[in-house]
Every structure is written in structure tokens, then in C-alpha cells.
Amino acid sequence: MKHHKPTHECGVFAVFGHPNAAVLTYYGLFALQHRGQESAGIVTANGSNTPFNRHVDMGLVAQVFSPADLERLKGTRSIGHVRYSTTGSSNLKNAQPLMVNCARGQLAIGHNGNLVNAGLLRDELEQRGSIFQTTVDSEIILHLLAQPTESGGVLAALRKIQGAYSLVMMSEREIIGVRDPFGFRPLSLGMLDGAYVLSSETCAFDLIHAEFIREIEPGEVVIISEKGIRSEFPFKVEKRAFCMFEYVYFARPDSIISDVNVARVRTEMGRELARLHPVEADIVVPVPDSGNYAAFGFAEELGIPYDHAFVRNHYIGRTFLQPTQLIRDFNVRVKLNLIKEAVAGKRVVVVDDSIVRGTTARARVVNMREAGAKEVHMRISCPPHKHACHYGIDFPDPEKLLANQCSLDQIRDYLGADSIGYLDVAGMVRASGQRESDFCLACFNGDYPVPVDPSVDKFIMERRRYGNLLTGDDDQPELFEPVR
Ligand code: AMP
């Protein structure tokens, strides 16, 4: 059975008050493409009482929008979204921004994150008659907003959802940006020619020449309208819990998060790693691109030459071939090729940002051995991944995480390396220049800032889709009650 994974590794973007809103959003999404490659979409509006324009499709930003599509996306307001999903299912229905027409008028939403009470809320809404069109948790927010009997509008709706969410929403009068009270995912505010811009990451501001104003605070709701911009803080903010893995891997290196450049943090992580697990070696080789900055910091700290011995093929895209053993082998090899002369006869340190299943690291050690490296030392610029993420990063189930199943020695042996060294939490936090209490470190230490009972929520989601999991019966209610 295929498990439903309500996972959102995504990027969001919005513009209010610019004649080229759609084009700016298109380029904004280009800069956020690393956050999601499955689908892309834009919804635009020209002010109150005019219909929203929407174009979404499966694929990369460059494939999804033709010049004619952008031409049709008229208006001065716009929200955009890129979505990543690992299922590979071509589910256009789930592509965002989602858009509805309801008692409150037209609404559109783009969501980055993952709600932890999605199943419960959806059950509740369906009991009250809501008809869901998609299987993404973001639609729940739209339904909450659309409830005509509900007072308090957006703030009341937001108080019901739990988990990770950076949102952009568009109503007939406003564009609204929201960051959950823990601030799991990034969201920033910029300005361009007097227009307001929201983006998951600041790298998109650089591209469109927008000025970075500030980050949206955890728990902040910014409301942008013809009247200007205002903020609401409807939640009790208990603690910050920014996702450390954004710094480690997910965010783009040229972005700034919490006033620190991401590449700089990665380089510092490499330096910390070198101090924690030094090794005598002839060269340091990054696994590109994810290991580049950490490897550079590692090499600098120990004064070892740094060499880009892996050459990356940038034109892979997604492969949909059935994963037979032969195909799996090609898939691992197609992305990177090794310059054998660079490593033959040498003691090599291979640096990557993380090990998830261990497939990548193992293949890189094999590459090194085949090329005649004398020693291969694996260094990883974050701690071992032992726990699931419930807040929007897509990791496999914990039993598939290498470090969840194996000791350090077993990992070293599985990879076939001469030694293995991971950065620790303290070093990672020092590299960020922030406090440990500012972060969500759940995937490393199992400490979940927002309580999750995945068994309950997942059970509800799956029962809905597959019938009753326990009995195998389909427990869908009958449409027509029998007449007695
Ligand atoms: P694995 O081969 O399963 O151990 O994956 C590790 C590689 O995938 C590393 O090179 C990481 O940079 C990268 N990676 C880590 N987390 C993710 C993620 N959530 N989605 C895609 N790639 C990832």
C-alpha cells in the first residue's frame, strides 16, 4: 500500500501592487526552485471584484509557464508556489496555489510546511459537510477560512492549525503572509518600486532587485492591502524552533536567514567538523553541491588542499524509470563522475552535508576506491539523522534512516570508509551563531517542539483514502439512505 505523505518541501512567493506581478513571481519562483520541483503555480488578481487568474502545472518553473501563460496572468497582485513531493505521482490536483470561490469571495493559498493535526481537522470539517478536492493539508486552511459561520476570519482559522506553516494567501482585498508561532520555515518581506514582496528565501529578492526589509517574525501575520501593511500577532509564542536543516541542506547558500548568510553557516559547520574530527589527509573532496561549503571550511581549517574531484551533471531532472537494480545503479552514477587522477593514491576526505539512507555516501566511497584512493574518510556536517521530520522536510520513515538502525562503526563499515565523523549539535549551533533553543533539532534528537501523534493523524488520513485499515472494509457512508 502506498502511504499518503502530507509532505511539503515548498517555496512561496507573493507581490502586492506591481504592474508586472506575474513576471516578478515567475522569477521569484525560479530562485526558489530548489525548494520544490514537482509543480509550480501562480494566481494573480487586479483588485476587488475581478476574477483571479490561475495557472499551475506539473514540472519545473521553466516548463510550467509559457510567455502566453504569463501574459494571461494579468494583475498587480500575485502569489506563487513551487512544490516538491517524493511520491512522483502526477497529481495536478495537489499543485498550488489552491484557489476557491466561497462565501468570503475568492481565496488563494500557497503553503510551505506540514500541519500535524491535518487528519483530525479534515475529519471534523468533512463531518460538517466540507468537500475536499485535493489530498494536501493546505486545503484544510482554505476550508477553515471559508466557513461562513465562523467569526474571526483568518486569525480564527489559523488558531486551529498546528505544525509548520509559512503561508501566502490572497483574498479580494489583501495579500496575507503568515509564519507559524515556532517559525519552522523561513519567510521574508521585501520591497520593489513601492510594491511589497514576500518570499520563502531572500535569494529571490536578489534576483528581482527587491530590497530585503526584514523577516516575518514567528507567529506574525502581515496583512498587505491598498491601505498599506500591518501586522497581527494572534498566537502565544512559546519558543522559536527554526528548522536547522534549512541551514544544513535545504535553503539556498546565497539566502540570509536570521541575519546570517546560509553559505557562511555551512562553511563554519565545516570548520567545526574539522576541529571535532580532524584527520591527516592529502585532499578534501566535497559531494557537490550539498557538501561544497562544509568541505571548503573543513579544508581551510586543517590546511588541506580542496579539490572538486566530483563532476556534476546538471541536466538530470527527475527520472521515472522503474527502480530495478540496474536502474538504481545508473541513477547513483549519472549525477556525479569522479576525476580519477585527482584522487588516485591519495588519502581523501569526502565531505557531505548529511546521510539519510546512506545510498549517496556509500556510492561515493565506492567511486573513491575504484579510482584508487589510498584512504577514504567520510565527514558529515550535521549530526546523525535518527528521527522523522513532521514539519515539512521529506525524510523516509525512521527505520530507513541509516543512523536510526546502525551504530557509528556499523555505518563506517556499511559505507566502506576508513573512518566516519559527524558534526555534533553543539558545533552546528555554534556555526549558526545562535542559541540551541532557537532551533528545531527533532530529526537529530527526537525533541519535537509541537507534539505529534503521527499514528493518530496518519491513521485518519489513510483510513479515509483506503477504507478501514483494520477490517479492510470500505467504511464510506452510503449516499442514499435505504427507504423503510
Ligand atoms: P542518502 O543517499 O539517502 O543518504 O541521501 C543523502 C543525500 O541526499 C545527501 O547528499 C543530502 O545532501 C541529500 N539530502 C538530504 N536530505 C534530503 C532531502 N530531504 N531530500 C532530498 N535530498 C536530501
Side-chain angles (χ1 to χ4, degrees):
M1 180 191 297
K2 202 157 88 179
H3 282 236
H4 173 71
K5 282 195 112 191
T7 309
H8 295 285
E9 279 180 354
C10 298
V12 295
F13 194 85
V15 176
F16 187 97
H18 197 287
N20 298 322
V23 171
L24 292 174
T25 305
Y26 171 74
Y27 280 108
L29 295 182
F30 243 104
L32 299 175
Q33 186 77 81
H34 61 289
R35 299 186 71 86
Q37 298 101 44
E38 189 195 58
S39 68
I42 296 178
V43 177
T44 63
N46 218 358
S48 312
N49 304 321
T50 56
F52 284 9
N53 312 293
R54 178 175 186 256
H55 182 81
V56 303
D57 211 338
M58 305 305 291
L60 300 171
V61 176
Q63 300 160 336
V64 166
F65 301 98
S66 69
D69 296 326
L70 287 176
E71 186 58 35
R72 273 192 295 275
L73 288 167
K74 295 202 185 316
T76 56
R77 304 166 189 180
S78 173
I79 65 171
H81 190 266
V82 283
R83 175 167 189 264
Y84 172 82
S85 141
T86 48
T87 58
S89 64
S90 304
N91 204 341
L92 184 56
K93 268 195 318 192
N94 288 343
Q96 298 191 34
L98 301 174
M99 183 174 97
V100 290
N101 213 329
C102 64
R104 290 187 195 275
Q106 300 171 94
L107 293 173
I109 189 167
H111 173 202
N112 169 210
N114 190 47
L115 305 184
V116 298
N117 61 342
L120 292 164
L121 283 176
R122 186 164 161 159
D123 246 18
E124 223 176 274
L125 285 159
E126 284 182 335
Q127 296 299 325
R128 282 154 61 185
S130 285
I131 299 167
F132 279 79
Q133 306 286 329
T134 76
T135 55
V136 292
D137 54 0
S138 324
E139 193 185 350
I140 291 163
I141 306 169
L142 275 184
H143 281 270
L144 289 172
L145 284 172
Q147 298 282 309
T149 51
E150 213 68 54
S151 61
V154 69
L155 301 185
L158 291 174
R159 283 196 195 102
K160 293 202 172 127
I161 58 176
Q162 288 166 19
Y165 49 93
S166 280
L167 304 173
V168 290
M169 292 187 276
M170 187 160 72
S171 69
E172 303 220 358
R173 293 202 179 83
E174 297 148 335
I175 278 188
I176 297 173
V178 187
R179 213 170 155 202
D180 70 67
F182 293 84
F184 283 103
R185 302 279 147 230
L187 188 65
S188 284
L189 177 71
M191 275 204 102
L192 174 68
D193 305 333
Y196 288 102
V197 189
L198 292 164
S199 174
S200 287
E201 289 185 45
T202 63
C203 61
F205 297 154
D206 297 341
L207 175 61
I208 63 164
H209 288 301
E211 182 194 350
F212 167 53
I213 305 290
R214 64 177 178 87
E215 264 176 40
I216 305 303
E217 290 294 317
E220 180 177 3
V221 179
V222 287
I223 301 128
I224 308 167
S225 69
E226 295 289 1
K227 291 183 231 159
I229 186 166
R230 69 189 168 89
S231 289
E232 299 271 354
F233 292 87
F235 314 103
K236 200 166 139 234
V237 176
E238 285 159 28
K239 97 177 260 318
R240 272 178 182 257
F242 181 68
C243 167
M244 180 59 101
F245 203 59
E246 293 268 354
Y247 277 123
V248 171
Y249 167 78
F250 200 46
R252 230 171 78 157
D254 45 343
S255 286
I256 293 168
I257 302 177
S258 299
D259 297 327
V260 203
N261 167 239
V262 173
R264 202 183 151 77
V265 175
R266 287 182 192 162
T267 308
E268 283 305 312
M269 285 173 174
R271 287 183 187 281
E272 290 282 352
L273 181 61
R275 289 196 281 269
L276 190 63
H277 296 294
V279 58
E280 277 188 25
D282 303 310
I283 52 166
V284 174
V285 175
V287 177
D289 291 330
S290 52
N292 286 355
Y293 292 94
F296 178 67
F298 190 97
E300 270 216 331
E301 184 67 21
L302 296 182
I304 304 173
Y306 172 79
D307 196 340
H308 273 284
F310 281 115
V311 177
R312 182 166 168 193
N313 184 330
H314 286 272
Y315 310 100
I316 300 168
R318 300 194 77 181
T319 159
F320 295 104
L321 294 176
Q322 282 304 311
T324 61
Q325 196 46 52
L326 179 73
I327 300 293
R328 262 194 217 107
D329 185 48
F330 283 143
N331 283 351
V332 173
R333 299 168 70 91
V334 68
K335 193 170 158 193
L336 299 178
N337 191 27
L338 187 58
I339 302 171
K340 296 189 181 60
E341 294 73 17
V343 300
K346 293 191 180 151
R347 297 169 300 170
V348 185
V349 186
V350 180
V351 180
D352 202 358
D353 70 289
S354 57
I355 292 178
V356 181
R357 290 183 181 82
T359 322
T360 308
R362 192 177 191 199
R364 299 315 149 218
V365 177
V366 169
N367 294 148
M368 288 291 170
R369 300 283 185 210
E370 285 174 352
K374 201 156 78 183
E375 291 173 21
V376 186
H377 302 275
M378 198 75 205
R379 293 293 179 270
I380 302 296
S381 64
C382 73
H385 272 99
K386 294 190 174 172
H387 306 275
C389 175
H390 298 292
Y391 310 124
I393 296 282
D394 182 47
F395 293 131
D397 291 336
E399 62 271 18
K400 298 214 178 81
L401 295 171
L402 189 62
N404 181 280
Q405 300 293 314
C406 302
S407 68
L408 272 182
D409 286 351
Q410 286 170 327
I411 293 175
R412 183 200 58 214
D413 294 346
Y414 173 76
L415 301 181
D418 291 287
S419 75
I420 173 100
Y422 285 89
L423 185 56
D424 59 4
V425 165
M428 191 168 58
V429 170
R430 268 197 305 278
S432 75
Q434 294 158 64
R435 295 171 308 180
E436 189 173 327
S437 57
D438 291 333
F439 288 104
C440 173
L441 300 162
C443 57
F444 306 117
N445 63 14
D447 191 358
Y448 291 94
V450 177
V452 194
D453 187 348
S455 57
V456 173
D457 218 54
K458 205 169 153 196
F459 180 75
I460 293 169
M461 298 293 275
E462 284 176 359
R463 190 190 57 197
R464 186 181 316 103
R465 285 163 54 86
Y466 303 112
N468 189 320
L469 287 182
L470 292 180
T471 62
D473 295 340
D474 189 341
D475 63 355
Q476 296 303 308
E478 286 177 30
L479 194 53
F480 295 103
E481 299 281 340
V483 183
R484 284 176 208 280

